[in-house]
Amino acid sequence: MEYNFREIEKKWQERWVENKTYQVTEDESRKKFYVLNMFPYPSGAGLHVGHPLGYIASDIYARYKRLQGFNVLNPMGYDAYGLPAEQYAIQTGQHPAITTVNNINRYREQLDKIGFSFDWSREVRTCEPDYYKWTQWAFQQMFKHYYDNDAKKATPIADLIKRFETKGTEGLNAACGEELSFTAEEWKAKSDKEQQTILLNYRIAYLGDTMVNWCPALGTVLANDEVVDGVSERGGHPVIQKVMRQWCLRVSAYAQRLLDGLDTLNWTDSLKETQKNWIGRSEGAEMKFSVKDSDLEFTIFTTRADTVFGVTFMVLAPESELVAQLTTDEQKAEVQAYLDATKKRTERERIADRRVTGVFSGSYAINPLTREAIPVWISDYVLAGYGTGAIMAVPAHDSRDYAFAKHFNLEIRPLIEGCDVSEESFDAKEGIMMNSPLPEHATEGGLVLNGLTIKEAIAKTKVYIKENNLGKVKVNYRLRDAIFSRQRYWGEPFPVYYKDGMPYMLDESKLPLELPEVDKFLPTETGEPPLGRAKNWKTEEGYQLELNTMPGFAGSSAYYLRYMDPHNTEALVSTKANAYWQNVDLYVGGTEHATGHLIYSRFWNKFLHDIGVSIKEEPFQKLINQGMIQGRSNFVYRIKDTNTFVSLNLKDQYDVTPLHVDVNIVSNDILDQEAFKNWHPEYKTAEFILEDGKYICGWAVEKMSKSMFNVVNPDMIVEKYGADTLRMYEMFLGPVEQSKPWDTNGIDGVHRFIRKFWALFYNKAGEYIVKDEAATKEELKSLHKLIKKVSGDIEQFSYNTSVSAFMICVNELSSLKCNKKEILSNLVVLLAPFAPHISEELWETLGNATSVCDAQWPEYNEDYLKEDVVNYTISFNGKARFNMEFAADADNNTIQETVLASEGAIKWIEGKPIKKVIIVPKKIVNIVV
């Protein structure tokens, strides 16, 4: 029988569907294992060969765990809402739902061809009402809860209302927008609208005024990762910073738990560090500064309160409300011009950009310890969302403050004995304090830090601030609350209506609130979001429904829970299903989600854990980040002002222009000349200067991109070589976690290996040659060496070395002319996770009635790996002369006597006296004469 991969792969893909091979149910008698890939967004371009890399890696692991006896959940679905489909709808008028379904069908067709073990019966799509009903429900629960800092968990807002009715804010320690103070009587005296406004200050899902990335051309808010160099990633439209009333999620309330949870996860240290830096915990003090000749005062947060004597200016974030209050009439025009320029820069750009810019407000603040008047500046290196949006600048000991002071010629006052700040700031982590205070600023009973170590000074300053009511000691976090509104059409509708300008939740019985039809997918003529075009977008009582939609991360934050119980109409997930699957044991996806999706989904899950929905507080126990597959571009070289192309190694003889060429008409860097002529009308009359009758292309490693013609469609690889070859080749390219270039030059070798594997079962005449005979020691040794290697490699995700080990083993067995069923049955099971189609076919050929998926993973036996004999190098005065074999358990005396009595030894000793015999066990015998 010939190896016809097309027939074999089609046969088994159909058989898997018929037999529901990959469908899984909860089974208390078996240990569970949950494998998950990060949600794909189905783009119109379909998959290129880089996309399946992580899917193949996780699929191998899922199949391996199933062979080990685990009940494996390996689901797949689609993150179906997104800006690309909406933009396509705006351009063409085609409804995003149609575009999305077409893209999903294309993805599904491609994924099926690669042979994944996904349980498609659990497929979810975020754009389907039966899915986003639970996103809406979760949002409502966040609206109905606040975060109790003492209990360290989400608590019903009804409990907070009861507390207000009996004690007001007395003793309240809750996450909030601003600290409020009122009595129970004052609370009861407030109107319903006033009470609802106060509750928004505490709700986990709340309406708030916040700075956003606003793109006027797209008519929507953009996330930070959708903005590049001040323009939208999609379309290149200008983006400005703007304060808007938006739905927000109080992610910041969970900052410490998000940090603490990292210690329980099997993630890489680098990924954990990325999240820690994003969350940005810092301990310090909040201090109050009053404004000179004014009743105003403002608060700053500092991790180094001991440096207050080195403050020579203050800086406000351009977005701070204080800017308008502190800007004097004389400075208004200059400040406004600066604010207009700053609006075009995102916070991410401002953090990365070290350019010094700023403007003086015209006002002065009073240092609470020295009573000095300090100028208040405005600069975009201070961010409104971190701390209080205002800083005290200590240029002697902070690099950005130092650069600002140098640029604007402001005082730089050192606080550490012996430090030199003539050229740069001094990183003041150790040392003895001075100038704290300067003699002219010393006051009776005031704070004096001179002569103390920095550690002593920090502690003393915190106590002084607290005791003198100048502020309070506080822990601060860089992590911001998530902006949860988008002015788009193609997203989850909010289950919210407005009465008297205040938001209220729809009754749960009204969920899902389905996305309405609109005549255009653009904002209204009056600037409202596209839902403003929907007819009767109101409740039955006539109240206006929310016009914004939820962002992309809404649907992807708890999807792992829905996979556990995707058809449940009564709950996001049943208690029984959640108790069985618990959380994801292996999560595979790209590093680009480290500070977006992974933060939001961890927050979302912790909230669901607080309210008793998710049994586990952390959603993803182990995380593997796959690298990118980069494009390997090819080039042709056109002689200038001609339509003649010269081969690579002759190009230096001519004046040429290198041009990208479609890699799909190039094989092993050799151009298909006829295909090139047909590729583009311009090249129909192309002529070639060849070398050895071939046109050899140049190459370079670049990003896989349509513009570089280096996108490789996996369908073409599957058609030419088969899915098993594609799967093994992608793993063979290099370690899963590393980025590497796609290079088809090596794919023939993997395909030859698979054919060689087939040849262990069938001879050239197509005859089945497997025999039911006992295996030899050499055959067992080769097999068990492979079992040990592949088992260890899969656990470490070292799939590339596994593929090499398979090649070595098949070569050894081919040399041994092995056709023993005992050996080949185990070999098929080992290969099944990597190449499932050929493994299924040969497993059936071996006489098995069930799928190879239900076989048992082989265990290696160390006894087969023990050497019966050991080959020793025999050396004389350190020079190797010949080799001898000894029994593996031979003792040193036996080895020495046998070597010295051998003809070879007698020849090299030449009758000289032997000074010493050195035996390195299992390696060398060295005779010193």
Side-chain angles (χ1 to χ4, degrees):
M1 180 179 172
E2 183 189 1
Y3 173 53
N4 187 328
F5 62 81
R6 293 187 184 91
E7 285 185 8
I8 290 169
E9 292 178 358
K10 183 182 179 184
K11 167 186 171 180
W12 284 102
Q13 286 165 14
E14 290 174 354
R15 186 84 66 85
W16 291 330
V17 174
E18 290 168 11
N19 296 341
K20 299 180 179 179
T21 303
Y22 302 127
Q23 282 194 28
V24 62
T25 57
E26 294 71 41
D27 184 350
E28 296 294 342
S29 67
R30 297 170 66 196
K31 191 175 180 182
K32 71 93 183 186
F33 197 90
Y34 187 172
V35 175
L36 184 62
N37 295 280
M38 288 189 184
F39 238 2
Y41 175 79
S43 72
L47 296 171
H48 62 61
V49 290
H51 293 124
L53 178 70
Y55 304 160
I56 295 169
S58 64
D59 194 59
I60 289 170
Y61 204 85
R63 291 174 178 274
Y64 163 70
K65 297 305 285 186
R66 178 168 174 172
L67 289 166
Q68 285 190 318
F70 286 85
N71 191 25
V72 178
L73 175 58
N74 183 22
M76 179 54 79
Y78 303 98
D79 191 6
Y81 277 129
L83 192 55
E86 178 145 343
Q87 288 304 295
Y88 187 74
I90 291 169
Q91 293 162 14
T92 65
Q94 179 170 284
H95 198 287
I98 298 172
T99 309
T100 302
V101 168
N102 291 340
N103 293 348
I104 285 174
N105 291 339
R106 174 81 180 114
Y107 261 55
R108 176 64 187 272
E109 179 187 9
Q110 290 184 288
L111 291 170
D112 283 347
K113 286 180 180 177
I114 303 173
F116 294 113
S117 60
F118 297 136
D119 180 357
W120 285 109
S121 71
R122 293 173 180 261
E123 177 193 318
V124 299
R125 302 178 181 185
T126 56
C127 64
E128 295 294 337
D130 61 352
Y131 178 84
Y132 66 69
K133 168 184 179 178
W134 299 107
T135 309
Q136 294 175 343
W137 175 85
F139 174 80
Q140 287 188 335
Q141 300 312 306
M142 292 180 192
F143 183 82
K144 294 174 182 177
H145 285 78
Y146 77 102
Y147 194 83
D148 187 324
N149 288 328
D150 292 330
K152 295 181 180 177
K153 64 177 294 188
T155 305
I157 206 82
D159 292 357
L160 184 63
I161 294 171
K162 288 177 184 175
R163 183 184 186 121
F164 287 163
E165 289 172 345
T166 55
K167 295 193 285 186
T169 55
E170 182 187 348
L172 178 64
N173 185 14
C176 59
E178 62 175 308
E179 297 289 344
L180 301 177
S181 178
F182 51 80
T183 65
E185 288 68 30
E186 288 171 330
W187 166 259
K188 292 172 185 174
K190 294 181 184 297
S191 67
D192 181 62
K193 184 172 183 177
E194 289 172 330
Q195 289 183 348
Q196 291 301 320
T197 301
I198 289 171
L199 292 174
L200 279 177
N201 186 56
Y202 297 96
R203 296 183 189 275
I204 291 176
Y206 66 95
L207 270 177
D209 295 320
T210 187
M211 186 63 60
V212 297
N213 301 317
W214 174 251
C215 181
L218 297 178
T220 188
V221 169
L222 298 176
N224 282 333
D225 56 8
E226 295 174 319
V227 183
V228 179
D229 297 328
V231 298
S232 62
E233 185 181 40
R234 191 161 195 83
H237 303 294
V239 175
I240 62 171
Q241 300 295 289
K242 180 179 178 181
V243 174
M244 291 180 66
R245 193 152 182 81
Q246 302 280 289
W247 280 106
C248 301
L249 303 184
R250 211 175 294 280
V251 181
S252 59
Y254 285 79
Q256 189 58 51
R257 282 172 62 185
L258 288 167
L259 277 176
D260 295 342
L262 292 172
D263 295 334
T264 68
L265 300 177
N266 185 6
W267 294 9
T268 62
D269 290 339
S270 61
L271 184 55
K272 287 183 180 182
E273 198 59 32
T274 299
Q275 289 222 341
K276 286 177 183 176
N277 291 337
W278 192 259
I279 296 166
R281 185 183 195 276
S282 52
E283 297 183 21
E286 277 190 350
M287 298 176 63
K288 297 174 186 173
F289 282 71
S290 59
V291 178
K292 185 181 179 184
D293 302 325
S294 168
D295 294 332
L296 288 173
E297 66 175 19
F298 60 94
T299 304
I300 62 93
F301 174 82
T302 176
T303 58
R304 293 291 306 277
D306 59 303
T307 61
V308 67
F309 293 107
V311 176
T312 57
F313 58 98
M314 311 291 286
V315 186
L316 302 177
E319 306 84 9
S320 171
E321 294 177 358
L322 291 164
V323 169
Q325 295 173 302
L326 270 63
T327 299
T328 60
D329 291 341
E330 295 78 12
Q331 291 296 108
K332 256 181 187 170
E334 196 175 345
V335 168
Q336 190 57 52
Y338 184 73
L339 297 182
D340 291 341
T342 305
K343 283 179 183 177
K344 299 171 185 174
R345 288 156 55 81
T346 68
E347 289 191 355
R348 187 174 288 183
E349 290 170 334
R350 286 160 56 179
I351 292 169
D353 192 351
R354 309 300 287 189
R355 285 180 300 170
V356 177
T357 65
V359 61
F360 179 46
S361 71
S363 293
Y364 292 81
I366 304 299
N367 187 318
L369 272 71
T370 67
R371 308 312 299 169
E372 291 175 272
I374 307 164
V376 180
W377 287 71
I378 301 155
S379 177
D380 67 0
Y381 80 91
V382 178
L383 304 176
Y386 181 62
T388 63
I391 67 162
M392 60 180 210
V394 186
H397 306 296
D398 180 275
S399 60
R400 296 204 73 165
D401 293 349
Y402 184 90
F404 194 90
K406 280 285 189 181
H407 186 82
F408 290 106
N409 198 28
L410 300 169
E411 182 188 355
I412 299 172
R413 185 184 302 166
L415 299 177
I416 306 299
E417 291 182 3
C419 74
D420 180 8
V421 293
S422 58
E423 298 296 329
E424 61 182 359
S425 60
F426 180 78
D427 187 5
K429 290 181 180 176
E430 294 182 357
I432 303 300
M433 303 293 292
M434 69 173 189
N435 293 337
S436 300
L438 291 168
E440 59 267 31
H441 296 145
T443 58
E444 188 176 344
L447 179 66
V448 177
L449 304 177
N450 293 325
L452 298 180
T453 65
I454 287 175
K455 190 174 181 180
E456 292 167 339
I458 291 172
K460 187 174 181 179
T461 306
K462 284 182 178 178
V463 171
Y464 185 86
I465 289 170
K466 198 171 181 181
E467 289 181 347
N468 288 271
N469 199 32
L470 299 175
K472 60 183 179 181
V473 177
K474 189 179 179 184
V475 174
N476 206 16
Y477 300 91
R478 184 178 292 114
L479 182 66
R480 321 284 173 74
D481 289 343
I483 299 170
F484 203 63
S485 296
R486 296 292 185 269
Q487 293 67 43
R488 301 175 188 163
Y489 171 74
W490 192 233
E492 294 95 330
F494 281 95
V496 175
Y497 67 92
Y498 289 87
K499 183 170 65 173
D500 195 20
M502 298 305 297
Y504 294 86
M505 295 295 123
L506 293 175
D507 189 85
E508 285 182 24
S509 64
K510 303 292 185 183
L511 301 184
L513 174 64
E514 296 192 23
L515 196 62
E517 293 296 325
V518 293
D519 59 344
K520 292 181 186 175
F521 306 105
L522 291 165
T524 67
E525 286 68 22
T526 54
E528 293 175 323
L531 289 190
R533 295 180 176 276
K535 293 179 181 178
N536 300 317
W537 190 236
K538 291 180 167 64
T539 66
E540 294 171 358
E541 299 78 17
Y543 296 119
Q544 177 67 57
L545 290 165
E546 173 66 68
L547 298 181
N548 290 315
T549 53
M550 298 186 196
F553 74 83
S556 61
S557 290
Y559 72 116
Y560 94 91
L561 288 168
R562 191 61 180 168
Y563 278 138
M564 296 178 186
D565 197 9
H567 308 298
N568 192 330
T569 59
E570 303 302 319
L572 168 63
V573 58
S574 71
T575 303
K576 182 181 178 183
N578 188 227
Y580 181 74
W581 296 112
Q582 299 196 11
N583 64 355
V584 176
D585 297 286
L586 173 66
Y587 198 34
V588 178
T591 54
E592 67 273 17
H593 299 295
T595 57
H597 164 65
L598 287 175
I599 289 280
Y600 294 142
S601 57
R602 291 181 64 219
F603 148 74
W604 200 288
N605 194 73
K606 285 177 186 293
F607 170 76
L608 293 176
H609 176 72
D610 286 353
I611 65 173
V613 174
S614 174
I615 196 168
K616 289 282 190 175
E617 187 168 343
E618 287 292 343
F620 315 120
Q621 194 58 41
K622 182 178 178 67
L623 181 66
I624 294 291
N625 291 130
Q626 87 273 10
M628 286 178 59
I629 287 186
Q630 299 155 313
R632 188 181 189 274
S633 303
N634 279 116
F635 298 92
V636 291
Y637 302 94
R638 179 161 63 183
I639 300 173
K640 285 196 173 175
D641 301 323
T642 73
N643 205 20
T644 301
F645 297 82
V646 60
S647 189
L648 173 67
N649 297 310
L650 303 175
K651 66 180 175 65
D652 293 340
Q653 302 172 26
Y654 303 88
D655 184 9
V656 300
T657 302
L659 301 171
H660 281 90
V661 63
D662 187 352
V663 295
N664 295 295
I665 58 174
V666 179
S667 178
N668 292 331
D669 294 331
I670 297 171
L671 179 70
D672 183 331
Q673 296 164 46
E674 283 306 310
F676 178 74
K677 288 182 176 182
N678 294 324
W679 179 47
H680 196 280
E682 183 183 352
Y683 305 136
K684 195 74 178 173
T685 58
E687 297 182 352
F688 303 93
I689 299 175
L690 310 175
E691 45 184 310
D692 298 327
K694 300 173 184 175
Y695 189 97
I696 300 172
C697 297
W699 65 275
V701 174
E702 301 175 299
K703 181 181 178 183
M704 201 169 275
S705 162
K706 284 190 288 186
S707 64
M708 297 173 186
F709 304 109
N710 62 1
V711 172
V712 179
N713 187 328
D715 296 0
M716 297 179 69
I717 303 297
V718 170
E719 174 62 25
K720 187 173 182 181
Y721 297 101
D724 287 339
T725 296
L726 171 67
R727 289 170 65 102
M728 294 200 76
Y729 186 60
E730 291 221 2
M731 297 300 97
F732 189 52
L733 284 171
V736 172
E737 297 93 337
Q738 291 181 13
S739 292
K740 50 263 181 187
W742 175 263
D743 182 358
T744 51
N745 291 347
I747 200 167
D748 289 316
V750 174
H751 191 60
R752 283 195 301 272
F753 153 74
I754 290 180
R755 289 189 174 277
K756 198 167 188 178
F757 173 65
W758 181 267
L760 294 174
F761 296 78
Y762 293 94
N763 62 20
K764 290 182 179 178
E767 298 168 333
Y768 184 62
I769 57 175
V770 177
K771 294 179 181 176
D772 206 351
E773 296 176 357
T776 66
K777 283 186 178 180
E778 290 83 1
E779 291 166 345
L780 287 166
K781 179 183 175 183
S782 184
L783 172 67
H784 284 267
K785 188 170 59 175
L786 180 67
I787 296 172
K788 182 177 182 179
K789 174 66 175 166
V790 173
S791 299
D793 282 352
I794 290 178
E795 291 290 356
Q796 300 300 318
F797 294 86
S798 297
Y799 297 151
N800 56 319
T801 53
S802 286
V803 177
S804 298
F806 278 120
M807 292 176 172
I808 293 168
C809 180
V810 168
N811 283 339
E812 290 175 350
L813 294 177
S814 298
S815 299
L816 293 168
K817 294 184 169 51
C818 174
N819 56 1
K820 313 292 172 51
K821 185 174 182 179
E822 176 187 359
I823 299 296
L824 298 184
S825 291
N826 284 297
L827 190 57
V828 167
V829 177
L830 290 171
L831 189 65
F834 295 82
H837 305 88
I838 190 173
S839 299
E840 287 278 25
E841 182 68 19
L842 294 174
W843 185 249
E844 184 179 63
T845 303
L846 286 165
N848 297 288
T850 58
S851 168
V852 71
C853 298
D854 296 318
Q856 186 174 350
W857 187 258
E859 291 187 19
Y860 77 90
N861 187 332
E862 197 70 49
D863 291 341
Y864 293 127
L865 305 183
K866 291 178 181 175
E867 302 286 351
D868 293 332
V869 295
V870 179
N871 192 297
Y872 280 81
T873 300
I874 313 302
S875 299
F876 297 86
N877 293 336
K879 292 186 178 180
R881 298 301 183 184
F882 59 90
N883 291 71
M884 292 181 72
E885 287 188 343
F886 292 93
D889 57 355
D891 59 57
N892 284 0
N893 286 335
T894 302
I895 293 171
Q896 181 173 321
E897 289 172 7
T898 306
V899 170
L900 294 177
S902 69
E903 288 184 14
I906 293 169
K907 171 189 172 183
W908 288 103
I909 292 172
E910 296 179 334
K912 297 172 187 174
I914 298 170
K915 296 179 181 177
K916 190 189 302 181
V917 177
I918 303 167
I919 299 176
V920 179
K922 300 188 183 335
K923 291 185 179 178
I924 299 170
V925 178
N926 186 32
I927 301 163
V928 182
V929 295

